[in-house]
Amino acid sequence: MHFVSARLGTSLVVWLLVGIALALPSGLLLIQVNLAALTAGWEGRPGLTVYFELDATQAQVEAAAEVLNAERSVEGVVVTSREQALEEFRAFTNLTDALDMLGDNPLPASLNAALETGLSEAALAGLVAVAESRPGVQEVVLEKTWHERVNDISRVVTRLGIILGGLFGVGAVLVTATSVRLAIEARLEELRVQKLVGASDRQIRRPFLYFGAFYGVGGGLVAAMLLSLCLLAIEGPLTALLGSYGQQLDTAGFNPLFFLALLIVGGALGVMGALVAAAQRLRDLEIL
């Protein structure tokens, strides 16, 4: 620990580098876990959302709702008027003053149709066509399409996380190995004496393994802090976004077990880096 305290600036840089290397793939893992939880919440609940033009009349909205409600594959229809949409938008955002400056309500009326599960693509396309044929309709969004897109994004994030996890893991090992190598260089004469008086290879190597683990665990703590700061930064906008889809913010996977895993992985990478440095430097100098 004397080496760390004597070179505190360098140690902080190493902790930061290892923390960043752990935070990026860990953040992607959290994104993947939450996307999976989000799609699981939508599973089995395909829906159809119809957005009307701003000048659409209430009669046109109600007529479209009646037509969709008459379909056998539609379990229920919920209509949201322009006034209700504005109130919901005010409740989930801090843009009240900006909305007041606009004067007129910029949000359209809409309706959401809950559909039966297990509908074929042809049946879904037919419902979309029925909704689009109604007067005053501007856009029809099939929630199942978004569900499939989120699943595709989740798979991409998973593969990207695996790739970046491997690359940044190697980077963390190399950074730790370089730091441990500096520590070995600083104590080289002392290590020679220990070897001459009969110290075993394990006894010589063990302090540097602790040193690498110390760097790795410190990097895990930095990664946890970085992820916490990122979540705090996006919590407000993310809450508003999910609220617009009727979902509540519930960050999955960000728990004490996740923090413990960060520390364990960081420590393991640090020990691996120390092993690499010890195997290279000490053996090259014929100490081990």
Side-chain angles (χ1 to χ4, degrees), residues 46 72-74 114-124 127 142 144:
R72 295 179 57 184
S73 56
V74 176
L115 309 180
E116 294 180 351
T117 58
L119 292 178
S120 64
E121 295 295 331
L124 293 173
L127 288 174
L142 185 62
K144 182 177 175 59

Side-chain angles (χ1 to χ4, degrees), residues 196-225:
L196 290 174
V197 298
S200 66
D201 295 347
R202 290 185 178 180
Q203 289 174 330
I204 295 176
R205 187 185 295 112
R206 187 181 299 119
F208 299 105
L209 298 184
Y210 294 152
F211 185 60
F214 182 71
Y215 268 148
V217 172
L221 289 174
V222 172
M225 289 187 289

Side-chain angles (χ1 to χ4, degrees), residues 206-255:
R206 187 181 299 119
F208 299 105
L209 298 184
Y210 294 152
F211 185 60
F214 182 71
Y215 268 148
V217 172
L221 289 174
V222 172
M225 289 187 289
L226 290 175
L227 290 173
S228 300
L229 290 175
C230 291
L231 287 176
L232 286 175
I234 66 173
E235 181 179 6
L238 189 58
T239 300
L241 175 63
L242 293 177
S244 64
Y245 289 96
Q247 301 286 330
Q248 293 183 348
L249 178 62
D250 184 15
T251 306
F254 198 65
N255 49 41

Side-chain angles (χ1 to χ4, degrees), residues 92-138:
F92 288 109
T93 64
N94 297 320
L95 302 177
T96 303
D97 295 337
L99 291 174
D100 293 338
M101 293 176 61
L102 292 176
D104 295 333
N105 183 0
L107 301 179
S110 63
L111 63 85
N112 183 269
L115 309 180
E116 294 180 351
T117 58
L119 292 178
S120 64
E121 295 295 331
L124 293 173
L127 288 174
V128 172
V130 170
E132 289 177 339
S133 65
R134 301 304 306 171
V137 172
Q138 184 179 40

Side-chain angles (χ1 to χ4, degrees), residues 58 80-89 105 107-109:
Q58 186 64 26
T80 302
S81 65
R82 296 184 61 191
E83 292 73 18
Q84 290 173 330
L86 182 61
E87 290 302 319
E88 291 179 1
F89 188 81
N105 183 0
L107 301 179

Side-chain angles (χ1 to χ4, degrees), residues 124-197:
L124 293 173
L127 288 174
V128 172
V130 170
E132 289 177 339
S133 65
R134 301 304 306 171
V137 172
Q138 184 179 40
E139 183 182 8
V140 178
V141 177
L142 185 62
E143 291 182 6
K144 182 177 175 59
T145 301
W146 287 106
H147 180 273
E148 293 172 348
R149 290 176 181 174
V150 171
N151 278 332
D152 293 337
I153 294 173
S154 179
R155 286 192 289 268
V156 171
V157 170
T158 300
R159 296 184 182 182
L160 187 60
I162 293 173
I163 295 172
L164 291 181
L167 294 176
F168 283 109
V170 172
V173 169
L174 295 178
V175 168
T176 307
T178 302
S179 302
V180 173
R181 186 184 178 93
L182 292 175
I184 294 174
E185 295 285 353
R187 298 181 57 186
L188 205 53
E189 295 303 321
E190 179 184 343
L191 297 177
R192 293 182 190 275
V193 173
Q194 290 179 2
K195 186 65 175 179
L196 290 174
V197 298

